[in-house]
Amino acid sequence: MVGDDIILARVDITEIRHGEQALRDSEQRFRNMVEQTVSGMYVRRDGRFIYVNPRYCEITGWSADELLGRNVLDFTDTDPESSEQIQQAWARLGAQRAHCFLQRPSTASRWQMD
């Protein structure tokens, strides 16, 4: 109220709600695609796994619980040349392919990841 006058404001948020729902639907479709792909995928931040899809876990033999939050280099070949190559690739582009060997949890074999 201002003096004897009442000021009302009305905002139609229908478009905002439709946009939010469309974004949620798009995110769900993307998540389903990534979760069901035949390619192993992971996301890292500051060198640590923040997401791994089920196929990546199948390929590596490590579970998501074992990988998430851990440093990616904890699971790679300990050869200094491999580590240096990975660091250089990350420095150049962050998503560039790097040739390295990934240690498997229960065997002496290693999987080559490009």
Side-chain angles (χ1 to χ4, degrees), residues 3 21 24 43:
Q21 185 61 46
R24 282 192 295 276
V43 178

Side-chain angles (χ1 to χ4, degrees), residues 61-74:
W62 297 95
S63 72
D65 288 339
E66 292 170 312
L67 294 170
L68 295 177
R70 300 271 310 272
N71 191 304
V72 173
L73 296 177
D74 290 347

